[in-house]
């Protein structure tokens, strides 16, 4: 094929592909334009997850009618003139690409008016082709209506995720921007309901509640740190509040939501040794640094940045977060020489207890401990059938234990035929509940118990739309949950196993960590749901248990198929073998 210049239509669709990936990208670009135009109030309406309609109405400065046609042209911007300005950008936009891109993959109508003109103007762009400008009466500001996104790029449409997921991406995006700009009024509606509305009074914590729910918002720790022209504000979660992925770690740099690996790493370092393996904090952090310190022109959707002095920014974020964290949640008070950093280890190291015995640390994690002798009665049971599966469960099982007591209201101490066992009561209880629930589930018989007074639970919007998709599953688990109004649910029954626990806690556990677009095999979902709820329902560290409760817990644990780990894979117990104790006390094989 001969070399030819691409037609402008094809070229702009290619360019659009970089900027406009999904409905949420349209919302982001339009929001940024409104913010750049100094809007005090921004109203966003979406229909069908943004695929049918995205409309953004603002009361910003507007576009003069003489410039409207230019605004939708590629590389047309009012925000940048000279190339050296590229390195001190103080607006969110500067590429002059967004409106042109959106116009080339949708049917877009812009209506705008500036203060010193009597009338506004309107322009329609369909698949990149602009209509004639018409004059219209309108208030000062700009309205952009984007209909039938990707109608002319069916391949893009196919790449979109479920409506629930696309919708969630928009909800989350708008809420985060609202949080970044608490002094502007945001309103997001889906044509029927108002999903989010902020007052513009500058109070970030109320907006945080819209994002995470009131309980979480209350617990979040506020950061306020300043140093040499840089400022870090916002919220980080205490160590007790974590998620199973990094998705809730968010940063805004100079008002722009960016995904920056080095900043998340800096933050995770601040949590070093304070979080369990595989757990991540939630953050909404806003970093302001002089514009010339950061290069924002490195990513088409402006989602990544480069710092002039990366180490300095890194260290600033890390120190500020650590300070805040320690001020609010001092490191648990256990003698470090003995306990090391027992269960609380770096979130970067996978599967390692960090158990740091001063000497002779040659004992493997109890999880994989195949040197454990099996108690005699268990042997007699399993010797009858010696399949590999049996052999494995035999290794995983634990001997009968004699309870000695509870320490720190957190660990049970027990003696076995072969030494000392320290059992993490929370992890152990999690395991016990999980196996009971899954066993009942396998029998298709989860005893459900009606609540005397049904519990009414209100969830943040995003969580409730997730929950709605999971309602049929919950039935299987003995929950009777019904929608009870916008974002509100009524729990009428819950599994008998959890009776006495707070049903709202269970409900929240079901949605809080839910991965976007999770659609593995059904039974994986179910096991995941079960693990999630059991975690919440299990006794906590720091909860004193009666001797009966301690004994019952140990007994139940002994009966488990996989007593050595909690459903999330962390150890339930540490075993100090007689052999090891003898060596530690220099009774045998002294070195
Ligand atoms: P950029 O934001 O990178 O300049 P866009 O394609 O997003 O490029 O917008 C082009 C121009 O149109 C902007 O530079 C701005 O002058 C104008 N514009 C776009 N949206 C708005 C708005 N909501 N209010 C006022 N002006 C706008
Ligand atoms: Mg823009």
């Amino acid at each position: 094929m001969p070399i030819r210049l691409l037609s402008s239509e094809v070229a702009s669709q290619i360019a659009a592909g970089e900027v406009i990936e999904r409905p949420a990208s349209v919302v982001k670009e339009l929001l940024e334009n409104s913010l750049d135009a100094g809007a005090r109030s921004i109203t966003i309406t979406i229909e069908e997850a943004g695929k049918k309609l995205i409309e953004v109405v603002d009361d910003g400065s507007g576009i003069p009618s003489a410039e409207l046609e230019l605004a939708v042209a590629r590389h047309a911007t009012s925000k940048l003139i000279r190339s050296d300005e590229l390195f001190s950008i103080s607006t969110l936009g500067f590429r002059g690409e967004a409106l042109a891109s959106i116009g080339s993959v949708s049917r877009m109508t812009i209506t705008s008016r500036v203060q010193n003109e009597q009338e506004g103007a309107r322009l329609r762009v369909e698949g990149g082709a602009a209509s004639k400008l018409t004059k219209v009466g309108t208030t000062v500001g700009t309205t952009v209506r984007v209909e039938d996104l990707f109608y002319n790029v069916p391949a893009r449409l196919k790449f979109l995720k479920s409506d629930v997921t696309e919708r969630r991406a928009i909800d989350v995006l708008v809420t985060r921007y609202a949080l970044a700009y608490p002094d502007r009024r945001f309103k997001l509606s889906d044509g029927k309901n108002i999903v989010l509305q902020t007052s513009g009074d500058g109070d970030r914590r109320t907006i945080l509640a819209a994002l995470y729910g009131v309980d979480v918002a209350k617990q979040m720790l506020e950061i306020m740190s300043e140093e040499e022209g840089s400022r870090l504000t916002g919220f980080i979660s205490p160590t007790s509040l974590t998620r199973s992925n990094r998705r809730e770690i968010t940063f805004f740099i100079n008002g722009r939501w960016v995904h920056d690996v080095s900043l998340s790493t800096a933050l995770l370092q601040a949590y070093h040794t304070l979080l369990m393996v595989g757990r991540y904090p939630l953050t909404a952090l806003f970093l302001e640094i002089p514009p010339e310190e950061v290069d924002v022109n490195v990513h088409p959707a402006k989602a990544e940045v480069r710092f002039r002095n990366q180490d300095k920014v890194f260290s600033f974020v890390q120190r500020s977060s650590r300070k805040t964290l320690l001020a609010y949640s001092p490191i648990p008070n256990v003698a470090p020489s003995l306990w090391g950093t027992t269960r609380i280890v770096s979130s970067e190291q996978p599967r390692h207890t960090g158990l740091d015995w001063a000497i002779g640390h040659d004992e493997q994690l109890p999880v994989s401990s195949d040197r454990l002798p099996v108690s005699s009665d268990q042997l007699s049971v399993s010797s009858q059938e010696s399949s590999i599966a049996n052999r494995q469960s035999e290794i995983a099982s634990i001997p009968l234990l004699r309870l000695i007591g509870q320490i720190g209201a957190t660990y049970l101490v027990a003696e076995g035929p072969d030494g000392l066992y320290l059992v993490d009561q929370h992890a152990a209880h999690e395991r016990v509940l999980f196996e009971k629930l899954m066993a009942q589930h396998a029998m298709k018989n989860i005893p459900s118990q009606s609540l005397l007074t049904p519990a009414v639970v209100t969830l943040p919007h995003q969580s409730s739309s997730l929950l709605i998709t999971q309602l049929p599953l919950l039935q299987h688990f003995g929950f009777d949950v019904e929608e009870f109004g916008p974002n509100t649910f009524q729990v009428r029954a819950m599994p008998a196993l959890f009776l006495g626990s707070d049903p709202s806690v269970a409900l929240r556990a079901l949605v809080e960590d839910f991965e976007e677009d999770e659609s593995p095999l059904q039974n994986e979902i179910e096991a995941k749901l079960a693990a999630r709820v059991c975690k919440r329902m299990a006794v906590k560290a720091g909860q004193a248990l009666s001797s009966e409760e301690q004994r019952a817990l140990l007994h139940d644990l002994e009966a488990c198929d996989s007593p050595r780990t909690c459903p999330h894979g962390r150890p339930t117990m540490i075993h100090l073998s007689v052999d090891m104790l003898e060596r530690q006390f220099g009774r045998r094989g002294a070195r």
Side-chain angles (χ1 to χ4, degrees):
M1 280 235 295
I3 300 177
R4 275 176 304 197
L5 280 175
L6 292 172
S7 74
S8 68
E9 196 197 337
V10 176
S12 50
Q13 278 198 14
I14 292 175
E18 292 193 314
V19 189
I20 307 301
E21 210 187 317
R22 59 196 299 193
S25 348
V26 174
V27 178
K28 171 174 178 286
E29 293 295 337
L30 297 182
L31 270 187
E32 291 194 346
N33 281 346
S34 297
L35 290 165
D36 277 345
R40 308 308 310 168
S41 160
I42 303 173
T43 303
I44 303 128
T45 310
I46 56 168
E47 279 173 31
E48 289 178 19
K51 290 190 292 195
K52 181 152 176 268
L53 172 76
I54 295 170
E55 184 191 68
V56 177
V57 183
D58 72 45
D59 62 353
S61 57
I63 305 170
S65 36
E67 291 176 18
L68 198 54
E69 280 169 324
L70 202 53
V72 301
R74 273 178 74 202
H75 309 305
T77 177
S78 58
K79 301 169 193 173
L80 191 70
I81 304 167
R82 300 187 319 268
S83 69
D84 60 347
E85 291 172 341
L86 256 183
F87 298 96
S88 57
I89 289 170
S90 56
T91 49
L92 296 169
F94 60 88
R95 297 169 56 98
E97 200 104 69
L99 289 183
S101 292
I102 298 168
S104 73
V105 293
S106 71
R107 305 181 219 274
M108 173 177 81
T109 314
I110 306 189
T111 311
S112 194
R113 195 196 126 190
V114 291
Q115 184 72 56
N116 57 15
E117 286 182 34
Q118 289 308 311
E119 272 184 320
R122 173 172 296 161
L123 192 66
R124 194 170 159 83
V125 184
E126 252 192 72
S131 69
K132 274 235 149 330
L133 199 79
T134 52
K135 292 273 171 194
V136 287
T138 179
T139 49
V140 174
T142 304
T143 296
V144 182
R145 259 179 94 84
V146 177
E147 289 161 287
D148 306 324
L149 182 63
F150 299 136
Y151 80 96
N152 55 349
V153 212
R156 273 276 165 193
L157 270 182
K158 284 199 204 111
F159 274 101
L160 294 186
K161 304 205 171 134
S162 69
D163 277 11
V164 175
T165 302
E166 295 299 340
R167 169 65 195 275
R168 194 171 127 83
I170 295 175
D171 292 354
V172 168
L173 178 103
V174 174
T175 315
R176 292 209 191 288
Y177 268 87
L179 201 55
Y181 294 87
D183 55 342
R184 320 283 178 104
R185 285 195 308 277
F186 287 77
K187 183 167 155 188
L188 171 64
S189 84
D190 61 8
K192 284 181 242 118
N193 298 311
I194 295 177
V195 177
L196 174 80
Q197 185 157 27
T198 67
S199 65
D201 68 358
D203 178 14
R204 274 191 173 142
R205 215 177 273 265
T206 24
I207 309 171
L208 203 59
L211 188 59
Y212 292 129
V214 179
D215 300 347
V216 169
K218 266 194 209 145
Q219 294 176 56
M220 296 286 278
L221 314 176
E222 187 156 15
I223 284 199
M224 188 97 74
S225 186
E226 222 159 332
E227 196 173 276
E228 295 174 42
S230 300
R231 231 159 84 90
L232 184 70
T233 56
F235 301 91
I236 61 177
S237 59
T239 53
S240 52
L241 191 65
T242 58
R243 294 286 155 95
S244 62
N245 55 56
R246 297 166 192 240
R247 203 171 305 126
E248 300 301 334
I249 301 180
T250 58
F251 283 95
F252 275 72
I253 299 173
N254 294 347
R256 187 190 305 280
W257 185 3
V258 297
H259 305 274
D260 187 275
V261 179
S262 70
L263 288 186
S264 339
T265 309
L267 180 87
L268 290 174
Q269 283 199 1
Y271 281 85
H272 186 67
T273 73
L274 300 177
L275 296 185
M276 279 186 284
V277 177
R279 301 303 298 178
Y280 301 93
L282 295 73
T283 73
L285 286 172
F286 306 94
L287 180 65
E288 282 154 66
I289 56 179
E292 57 279 7
E293 294 281 314
V294 51
D295 184 357
V296 291
N297 188 27
V298 295
H299 186 272
K302 299 164 289 182
E304 288 167 17
V305 294
R306 212 172 285 144
F307 299 107
R308 205 165 69 163
N309 189 342
Q310 158 128 7
D311 292 348
K312 193 172 140 196
V313 178
F314 186 100
S315 137
F316 176 53
V317 169
Q318 199 242 317
R319 275 179 291 117
S320 313
S321 313
R322 183 82 179 178
K323 222 187 306 166
T324 305
L325 213 48
L326 294 186
Y328 285 99
S329 46
I331 297 175
N333 192 10
V334 284
S337 56
L338 180 57
W339 296 106
T341 45
T342 320
R343 294 191 45 204
I344 315 158
V345 295
S346 155
S347 45
E348 294 305 308
Q349 293 167 295
R351 308 276 300 138
H352 171 268
T353 53
L355 184 66
D356 191 16
W357 299 89
I359 31 169
H361 177 211
D362 55 359
E363 286 290 358
Q364 270 297 305
L365 260 183
V367 192
S368 57
S369 164
D370 48 10
R371 60 186 84 178
L372 270 175
V374 180
S375 71
S376 51
D377 48 313
Q378 277 168 324
L379 264 181
S380 63
V381 173
S382 50
S383 58
Q384 291 163 2
E385 324 143 287
S386 57
S387 69
I388 291 176
N390 256 320
R391 165 92 191 108
Q392 275 167 348
S393 70
E394 183 182 293
I395 289 168
S397 70
I398 50 171
L400 290 177
L401 300 175
R402 184 178 69 85
L403 178 72
I404 298 170
Q406 190 186 26
I407 50 173
T410 298
Y411 304 103
L412 304 185
V413 187
E415 187 196 4
D418 54 339
L420 182 73
Y421 287 79
L422 288 172
V423 177
D424 179 317
Q425 66 189 36
H426 169 70
H429 195 212
E430 233 181 302
R431 164 56 65 187
V432 167
L433 288 177
F434 178 74
E435 290 204 5
K436 282 187 179 169
L437 189 63
M438 289 312 280
Q440 294 173 346
H441 181 59
M443 308 289 289
K444 303 236 176 317
N445 176 28
I446 296 191
S448 178
Q449 182 83 45
S450 302
L451 301 173
L452 284 176
T453 32
V456 174
V457 185
T458 303
L459 295 173
H461 176 77
Q462 294 120 27
S463 306
S464 66
S465 48
L466 272 176
L467 187 65
I468 289 168
T469 64
Q470 303 299 329
L471 285 181
L473 255 183
L474 294 190
Q475 291 280 342
H476 293 248
F477 273 105
F479 283 96
D480 182 1
V481 180
E482 233 179 37
E483 267 189 273
F484 193 59
N487 304 333
T488 305
F489 298 85
Q490 194 181 43
V491 188
R492 289 202 300 234
M494 65 194 286
L497 196 57
F498 299 142
L499 214 65
S501 307
D502 183 351
S504 70
V505 173
L507 213 54
R508 291 212 169 86
L510 290 168
V511 281
E512 77 160 8
D513 268 352
F514 227 89
E515 314 268 331
E516 249 177 64
D517 250 22
E518 242 174 358
S519 53
L521 297 170
Q522 186 76 348
N523 58 6
E524 276 180 41
I525 295 192
E526 294 180 345
K528 230 174 196 174
L529 281 179
R532 224 165 260 178
V533 181
C534 292
K535 179 175 173 54
R536 283 311 144 103
M537 299 286 107
V539 297
K540 301 280 173 298
Q543 199 168 326
L545 303 177
S546 70
S547 321
E548 278 72 56
E549 289 169 325
Q550 297 172 27
R551 209 161 283 128
L553 179 55
L554 271 191
H555 183 263
D556 285 347
L557 188 65
E558 285 161 7
C560 283
D561 286 335
S562 314
R564 295 178 175 277
T565 54
C566 82
H568 298 94
R570 291 189 299 276
T572 54
M573 58 176 66
I574 292 174
H575 170 218
L576 310 177
S577 68
V578 174
D579 186 53
M580 180 202 175
L581 292 174
E582 292 202 329
R583 269 187 288 127
Q584 297 263 342
F585 286 112
R587 288 172 170 274
R588 182 151 39 102
R591 323 170 183 194

